[in-house]
Protein backbone atom coordinates (compact mmCIF):
# COMPACT_ATOMS: atom_id res chain seq x y z
CA UNK A 1 0.00 0.00 0.00
CA UNK A 2 2.76 2.44 0.93
CA UNK A 3 4.72 1.70 -2.23
CA UNK A 4 1.61 2.23 -4.34
CA UNK A 5 1.02 5.60 -2.68
CA UNK A 6 4.62 6.74 -3.27
CA UNK A 7 4.98 5.26 -6.75
CA UNK A 8 3.80 8.49 -8.39
CA UNK A 9 4.85 12.05 -7.74
CA UNK A 10 1.55 13.81 -7.14
CA UNK A 11 0.55 16.85 -5.07
CA UNK A 12 -1.51 14.59 -2.79
CA UNK A 13 1.67 12.67 -1.90
CA UNK A 14 3.46 15.88 -0.98
CA UNK A 15 0.53 17.12 1.11
CA UNK A 16 0.05 13.75 2.78
CA UNK A 17 3.71 13.46 3.82
CA UNK A 18 3.74 17.03 5.12
CA UNK A 19 0.65 16.36 7.23
CA UNK A 20 2.27 13.18 8.53
CA UNK A 21 5.41 15.12 9.50
CA UNK A 22 3.36 17.90 11.13
CA UNK A 23 1.40 15.39 13.24
CA UNK A 24 4.58 13.60 14.35
CA UNK A 25 6.36 16.90 15.05
CA UNK A 26 3.52 18.26 17.15
CA UNK A 27 3.20 14.98 19.02
CA UNK A 28 6.90 14.81 19.86
CA UNK A 29 7.22 18.44 20.89
CA UNK A 30 3.95 19.02 22.68
CA UNK A 31 3.53 15.76 24.58
CA UNK A 32 5.16 17.34 27.65
CA UNK A 33 2.48 20.01 27.72
CA UNK A 34 0.06 17.44 29.12
CA UNK A 35 2.23 17.12 32.21
CA UNK A 36 3.48 20.70 32.56
CA UNK A 37 1.96 24.13 32.38
CA UNK A 38 1.54 25.36 28.82
CA UNK A 39 4.10 28.00 27.86
CA UNK A 40 2.76 30.23 25.12
CA UNK A 41 6.23 31.36 24.00
CA UNK A 42 7.43 27.76 23.63
CA UNK A 43 4.28 26.93 21.72
CA UNK A 44 4.82 29.78 19.28
CA UNK A 45 8.48 28.82 18.80
CA UNK A 46 7.50 25.24 17.94
CA UNK A 47 4.92 26.47 15.44
CA UNK A 48 7.50 28.76 13.80
CA UNK A 49 9.98 25.86 13.56
CA UNK A 50 7.27 23.70 12.01
CA UNK A 51 6.56 26.39 9.40
CA UNK A 52 10.28 26.60 8.60
CA UNK A 53 10.36 22.83 8.13
CA UNK A 54 7.44 23.09 5.71
CA UNK A 55 9.29 25.75 3.70
CA UNK A 56 12.31 23.40 3.59
CA UNK A 57 10.08 20.66 2.20
CA UNK A 58 8.81 22.99 -0.53
CA UNK A 59 12.38 23.89 -1.57
CA UNK A 60 13.42 20.22 -1.55
CA UNK A 61 10.44 19.19 -3.66
CA UNK A 62 11.12 22.01 -6.12
CA UNK A 63 14.78 21.00 -6.56
CA UNK A 64 14.06 17.31 -7.14
CA UNK A 65 11.07 17.75 -9.45
CA UNK A 66 12.48 20.66 -11.46
CA UNK A 67 15.80 18.92 -12.13
CA UNK A 68 14.49 15.33 -12.48
CA UNK A 69 16.78 13.94 -9.79
CA UNK A 70 14.50 10.92 -9.41
CA UNK A 71 11.93 9.22 -11.57
CA UNK A 72 8.26 10.12 -11.29
CA UNK A 73 7.76 8.98 -7.70
CA UNK A 74 7.81 10.29 -4.13
CA UNK A 75 10.39 7.92 -2.65
CA UNK A 76 12.96 10.70 -2.20
CA UNK A 77 10.54 12.99 -0.40
CA UNK A 78 9.42 10.09 1.79
CA UNK A 79 12.99 9.43 2.94
CA UNK A 80 13.67 13.15 3.32
CA UNK A 81 10.57 13.62 5.50
CA UNK A 82 11.40 10.71 7.78
CA UNK A 83 15.04 11.68 8.20
CA UNK A 84 14.21 15.31 8.90
CA UNK A 85 11.71 14.05 11.45
CA UNK A 86 14.43 12.03 13.17
CA UNK A 87 16.43 15.18 13.84
CA UNK A 88 13.53 17.59 14.31
CA UNK A 89 13.72 17.44 18.10
CA UNK A 90 17.34 18.68 18.27
CA UNK A 91 17.28 21.45 15.66
CA UNK A 92 17.40 25.17 16.38
CA UNK A 93 16.88 28.30 14.33
CA UNK A 94 20.55 28.41 13.30
CA UNK A 95 20.52 24.87 11.92
CA UNK A 96 17.29 25.49 10.01
CA UNK A 97 18.61 28.78 8.65
CA UNK A 98 21.76 27.05 7.39
CA UNK A 99 19.67 24.26 5.86
CA UNK A 100 17.52 26.72 3.89
CA UNK A 101 20.62 28.55 2.58
CA UNK A 102 22.21 25.20 1.73
CA UNK A 103 19.13 24.10 -0.25
CA UNK A 104 19.00 27.44 -2.08
CA UNK A 105 22.66 26.89 -2.97
CA UNK A 106 21.93 23.36 -4.24
CA UNK A 107 18.96 24.64 -6.22
CA UNK A 108 21.32 26.76 -8.30
CA UNK A 109 24.03 24.19 -8.94
CA UNK A 110 21.64 21.40 -9.92
CA UNK A 111 19.74 23.75 -12.23
CA UNK A 112 22.91 24.29 -14.28
CA UNK A 113 21.80 21.35 -16.41
CA UNK A 114 19.72 24.00 -18.18
CA UNK A 115 21.55 26.56 -20.34
CA UNK A 116 19.28 29.43 -19.28
CA UNK A 117 20.87 32.26 -17.25
CA UNK A 118 23.98 30.26 -16.44
CA UNK A 119 26.01 33.19 -15.11
CA UNK A 120 23.16 34.32 -12.88
CA UNK A 121 22.88 30.83 -11.41
CA UNK A 122 26.63 30.71 -10.81
CA UNK A 123 26.58 34.12 -9.12
CA UNK A 124 23.64 33.08 -6.92
CA UNK A 125 25.37 29.81 -5.99
CA UNK A 126 28.49 31.71 -4.94
CA UNK A 127 26.36 34.27 -3.09
CA UNK A 128 24.48 31.66 -1.02
CA UNK A 129 27.73 29.83 -0.30
CA UNK A 130 29.30 33.12 0.81
CA UNK A 131 26.51 33.59 3.35
CA UNK A 132 27.14 30.09 4.71
CA UNK A 133 30.88 30.68 4.95
CA UNK A 134 30.40 33.96 6.81
CA UNK A 135 29.05 31.85 9.67
CA UNK A 136 30.96 28.58 9.07
CA UNK A 137 34.10 28.89 6.90
CA UNK A 138 34.45 25.11 6.59
CA UNK A 139 31.53 25.16 4.13
CA UNK A 140 34.02 26.62 1.65
CA UNK A 141 34.59 23.00 0.60
CA UNK A 142 31.19 23.15 -1.12
CA UNK A 143 32.81 25.40 -3.74
CA UNK A 144 33.88 22.16 -5.42
CA UNK A 145 30.23 21.46 -6.31
CA UNK A 146 29.90 24.75 -8.19
CA UNK A 147 32.80 24.10 -10.55
CA UNK A 148 31.99 20.42 -11.04
CA UNK A 149 28.43 21.32 -11.97
CA UNK A 150 29.66 24.02 -14.36
CA UNK A 151 32.17 21.61 -15.89
CA UNK A 152 29.75 18.72 -16.34
CA UNK A 153 26.64 20.63 -17.40
CA UNK A 154 28.15 23.65 -19.17
CA UNK A 155 31.84 24.43 -19.67
CA UNK A 156 34.58 26.21 -17.76
CA UNK A 157 35.39 29.64 -19.18
CA UNK A 158 36.82 32.79 -17.67
CA UNK A 159 33.25 33.92 -16.97
CA UNK A 160 31.97 30.70 -15.40
CA UNK A 161 35.14 30.54 -13.31
CA UNK A 162 35.12 34.10 -12.00
CA UNK A 163 31.38 34.76 -11.50
CA UNK A 164 30.98 32.32 -8.55
CA UNK A 165 33.96 33.94 -6.84
CA UNK A 166 32.39 37.39 -7.29
CA UNK A 167 29.11 36.09 -5.91
CA UNK A 168 30.94 34.51 -2.96
CA UNK A 169 32.90 37.66 -2.13
CA UNK A 170 29.79 39.86 -2.17
CA UNK A 171 28.33 38.82 1.24
CA UNK A 172 31.82 38.31 2.67
CA UNK A 173 32.78 41.87 1.69
CA UNK A 174 29.51 43.28 3.08
CA UNK A 175 30.07 41.49 6.38
CA UNK A 176 33.70 42.62 6.52
CA UNK A 177 32.62 46.21 5.83
CA UNK A 178 30.13 45.99 8.68
CA UNK A 179 32.79 44.66 11.05
CA UNK A 180 35.34 47.22 9.83
CA UNK A 181 32.89 50.05 10.51
CA UNK A 182 32.65 48.95 14.14
CA UNK A 183 36.35 48.06 14.41
CA UNK A 184 35.78 44.31 14.75
CA UNK A 185 37.36 43.10 11.50
CA UNK A 186 39.55 40.62 13.38
CA UNK A 187 36.41 38.51 13.97
CA UNK A 188 36.17 37.59 10.29
CA UNK A 189 39.88 36.90 9.87
CA UNK A 190 39.96 34.72 12.98
CA UNK A 191 37.00 32.70 11.69
CA UNK A 192 38.72 31.85 8.39
CA UNK A 193 41.97 31.02 10.16
CA UNK A 194 40.25 28.69 12.60
CA UNK A 195 41.35 25.08 12.30
CA UNK A 196 39.16 22.02 11.92
CA UNK A 197 38.99 19.06 14.27
CA UNK A 198 38.71 15.66 12.63
CA UNK A 199 36.87 13.05 14.67
CA UNK A 200 36.00 9.44 14.03
CA UNK A 201 33.81 8.99 17.08
CA UNK A 202 30.56 9.56 15.14
CA UNK A 203 27.85 9.95 17.76
CA UNK A 204 28.42 9.78 21.47
CA UNK A 205 25.44 7.54 22.22
CA UNK A 206 25.25 3.98 20.92
CA UNK A 207 21.73 4.25 19.46
CA UNK A 208 22.75 7.33 17.47
CA UNK A 209 25.89 5.61 16.21
CA UNK A 210 23.97 2.49 15.16
CA UNK A 211 21.33 4.56 13.38
CA UNK A 212 23.83 6.70 11.47
CA UNK A 213 26.13 3.81 10.55
CA UNK A 214 23.19 1.74 9.29
CA UNK A 215 21.97 4.70 7.25
CA UNK A 216 25.39 5.27 5.69
CA UNK A 217 25.84 1.57 4.84
CA UNK A 218 22.45 1.46 3.10
CA UNK A 219 23.27 4.69 1.26
CA UNK A 220 26.61 3.41 -0.04
CA UNK A 221 24.95 0.20 -1.19
CA UNK A 222 22.22 2.15 -3.02
CA UNK A 223 24.83 4.46 -4.57
CA UNK A 224 26.82 1.49 -5.88
CA UNK A 225 23.66 -0.17 -7.20
CA UNK A 226 22.53 2.92 -9.10
CA UNK A 227 25.99 3.96 -10.29
CA UNK A 228 26.52 0.62 -12.00
CA UNK A 229 23.73 1.59 -14.40
CA UNK A 230 23.53 5.40 -14.37
CA UNK A 231 27.21 6.00 -15.17
CA UNK A 232 27.09 3.81 -18.28
CA UNK A 233 24.85 6.23 -20.19
CA UNK A 234 26.13 9.65 -21.18
CA UNK A 235 23.10 11.85 -20.54
CA UNK A 236 21.96 14.70 -18.30
CA UNK A 237 21.00 12.38 -15.46
CA UNK A 238 24.46 10.82 -15.44
CA UNK A 239 26.00 14.23 -14.81
CA UNK A 240 23.40 15.08 -12.15
CA UNK A 241 23.95 11.70 -10.50
CA UNK A 242 27.71 12.24 -10.44
CA UNK A 243 27.16 15.64 -8.88
CA UNK A 244 24.83 14.10 -6.28
CA UNK A 245 27.47 11.54 -5.30
CA UNK A 246 30.12 14.26 -4.91
CA UNK A 247 27.56 16.28 -2.93
CA UNK A 248 27.16 13.35 -0.57
CA UNK A 249 30.90 12.75 -0.17
CA UNK A 250 31.71 16.43 0.41
CA UNK A 251 29.04 16.85 3.09
CA UNK A 252 30.08 13.53 4.64
CA UNK A 253 33.65 14.81 4.93
CA UNK A 254 32.32 17.99 6.58
CA UNK A 255 30.34 15.77 8.94
CA UNK A 256 33.55 14.03 9.98
CA UNK A 257 35.05 17.36 11.05
CA UNK A 258 32.45 17.79 13.79
CA UNK A 259 30.32 14.63 13.86
CA UNK A 260 27.58 15.25 16.35
CA UNK A 261 23.86 14.70 16.07
CA UNK A 262 23.30 18.38 16.81
CA UNK A 263 25.53 19.65 13.99
CA UNK A 264 24.22 21.26 10.83
CA UNK A 265 26.05 18.75 8.62
CA UNK A 266 23.64 16.08 9.85
CA UNK A 267 20.77 17.93 8.17
CA UNK A 268 22.93 18.63 5.12
CA UNK A 269 23.41 14.89 4.65
CA UNK A 270 19.66 14.28 4.48
CA UNK A 271 19.35 15.79 0.97
CA UNK A 272 21.83 13.53 -0.89
CA UNK A 273 21.01 10.47 1.22
CA UNK A 274 17.27 10.68 0.49
CA UNK A 275 17.88 10.97 -3.27
CA UNK A 276 20.47 8.20 -3.35
CA UNK A 277 18.12 5.86 -1.50
CA UNK A 278 15.25 6.78 -3.82
CA UNK A 279 17.30 6.10 -6.95
CA UNK A 280 18.57 2.82 -5.56
CA UNK A 281 15.06 1.70 -4.63
CA UNK A 282 13.82 2.47 -8.14
CA UNK A 283 15.97 -0.37 -9.46
CA UNK A 284 14.23 -3.00 -7.34
CA UNK A 285 11.88 -4.96 -9.58
CA UNK A 286 9.89 -6.89 -6.99
CA UNK A 287 7.17 -4.76 -5.42
CA UNK A 288 7.15 -6.81 -2.24
CA UNK A 289 10.80 -5.90 -1.57
CA UNK A 290 10.00 -2.21 -2.03
CA UNK A 291 7.14 -2.53 0.47
CA UNK A 292 9.39 -4.26 2.99
CA UNK A 293 12.15 -1.65 2.71
CA UNK A 294 9.76 1.30 3.01
CA UNK A 295 8.13 -0.14 6.13
CA UNK A 296 11.47 -1.13 7.66
CA UNK A 297 12.76 2.40 7.09
CA UNK A 298 9.64 3.81 8.75
CA UNK A 299 10.05 1.39 11.66
CA UNK A 300 13.75 2.26 12.05
CA UNK A 301 13.10 6.00 12.13
CA UNK A 302 10.21 5.55 14.54
CA UNK A 303 12.32 3.40 16.86
CA UNK A 304 15.08 6.00 16.79
CA UNK A 305 12.62 8.73 17.83
CA UNK A 306 10.95 6.61 20.51
CA UNK A 307 14.20 5.66 22.21
CA UNK A 308 15.83 9.07 21.69
Amino acid sequence: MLANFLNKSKPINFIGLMIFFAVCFLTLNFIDFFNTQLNVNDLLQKIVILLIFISIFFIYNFITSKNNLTYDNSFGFYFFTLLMGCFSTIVDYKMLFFTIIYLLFLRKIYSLQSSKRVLKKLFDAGFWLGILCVFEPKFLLLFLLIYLSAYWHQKITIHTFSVPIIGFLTPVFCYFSYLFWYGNQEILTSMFLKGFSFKMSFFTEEKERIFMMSLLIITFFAAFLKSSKALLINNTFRRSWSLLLINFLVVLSLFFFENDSKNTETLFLVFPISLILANGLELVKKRILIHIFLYLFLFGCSAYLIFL
Side-chain angles (χ1 to χ4, degrees):
M1 181 179 178
L2 186 57
N4 296 332
F5 175 74
L6 299 172
N7 197 43
K8 292 292 182 180
S9 179
K10 297 179 180 179
I12 188 62
N13 297 17
F14 178 74
I15 296 173
L17 288 172
M18 277 206 307
I19 294 175
F20 172 76
F21 176 85
V23 171
C24 294
F25 180 86
L26 295 174
T27 302
L28 288 170
N29 287 278
F30 299 153
I31 194 170
D32 292 336
F33 290 162
F34 291 102
N35 302 321
T36 59
Q37 184 177 0
L38 179 64
N39 188 313
V40 177
N41 291 332
D42 290 341
L43 178 63
L44 292 177
Q45 288 179 4
K46 297 300 182 182
I47 293 176
V48 171
I49 290 179
L50 176 60
L51 294 176
I52 297 175
F53 266 113
I54 292 175
S55 66
I56 289 175
F57 292 151
F58 272 102
I59 299 174
Y60 174 90
N61 190 60
F62 179 84
I63 296 173
T64 55
S65 60
K66 190 73 174 180
N67 300 294
N68 299 316
L69 298 181
T70 63
Y71 289 128
D72 186 23
N73 57 57
S74 301
F75 292 149
F77 189 60
Y78 171 78
F79 295 129
F80 185 80
T81 304
L82 291 180
L83 291 175
M84 291 296 284
C86 287
F87 305 109
S88 62
T89 56
I90 51 90
V91 299
D92 53 25
Y93 289 113
K94 180 181 177 181
M95 293 176 66
L96 293 176
F97 170 74
F98 283 171
T99 302
I100 290 178
I101 300 301
Y102 167 70
L103 289 177
L104 292 174
F105 163 76
L106 294 181
R107 174 174 174 256
K108 294 301 177 180
I109 64 170
Y110 283 101
S111 66
L112 284 174
Q113 61 181 259
S114 171
S115 299
K116 297 180 180 179
R117 297 179 294 180
V118 171
L119 294 181
K120 182 180 183 302
K121 294 175 183 176
L122 289 171
F123 178 88
D124 291 343
F127 180 82
W128 293 122
L129 183 57
I131 295 177
L132 279 177
C133 290
V134 163
F135 297 95
E136 290 288 348
K138 62 183 176 181
F139 293 141
L140 189 64
L141 189 59
L142 293 172
F143 233 118
L144 177 65
L145 300 180
I146 299 179
Y147 289 115
L148 285 178
S149 182
Y151 174 74
W152 282 329
H153 289 303
Q154 304 300 325
K155 61 180 180 179
I156 299 296
T157 65
I158 185 63
H159 297 95
T160 56
F161 179 81
S162 59
V163 167
I165 298 177
I166 297 173
F168 173 84
L169 292 177
T170 300
V172 175
F173 176 78
C174 291
Y175 184 55
F176 179 81
S177 300
Y178 170 80
L179 294 176
F180 182 79
W181 180 263
Y182 289 98
N184 297 322
Q185 58 271 20
E186 68 277 0
I187 295 178
L188 186 63
T189 55
S190 62
M191 286 177 58
F192 279 93
L193 293 177
K194 182 176 64 175
F196 298 136
S197 58
F198 186 84
K199 303 177 182 178
M200 288 297 292
S201 58
F202 293 97
F203 295 115
T204 55
E205 298 186 20
E206 184 178 1
K207 63 179 183 302
E208 295 177 337
R209 184 165 57 251
I210 293 175
F211 178 80
M212 196 63 191
M213 288 300 297
S214 301
L215 183 62
L216 290 177
I217 291 173
I218 297 172
T219 302
F220 276 109
F221 178 76
F224 174 79
L225 191 67
K226 184 68 176 183
S227 298
S228 62
K229 295 182 177 296
L231 298 181
L232 297 178
I233 305 174
N234 187 15
N235 55 12
T236 301
F237 181 78
R238 173 186 175 179
R239 295 187 286 272
S240 296
W241 177 251
S242 300
L243 184 63
L244 181 64
L245 293 179
I246 300 298
N247 185 179
F248 169 66
L249 294 176
V250 169
V251 178
L252 186 61
S253 64
L254 289 173
F255 171 79
F256 284 143
F257 283 133
E258 297 287 348
N259 40 59
D260 188 281
S261 62
K262 295 178 177 60
N263 280 355
T264 307
E265 292 77 13
T266 307
L267 295 184
F268 282 15
L269 277 170
V270 175
F271 178 87
I273 285 178
S274 63
L275 292 176
I276 291 173
L277 292 178
N279 279 280
L281 191 62
E282 290 168 352
L283 297 178
V284 178
K285 301 299 183 181
K286 294 184 178 181
R287 185 58 59 89
I288 185 62
L289 295 179
I290 297 178
H291 279 286
I292 292 174
F293 182 79
L294 291 175
Y295 281 111
L296 284 177
F297 199 88
L298 176 61
F299 174 78
C301 292
S302 301
Y304 175 78
L305 287 171
I306 292 173
F307 298 105
L308 187 64

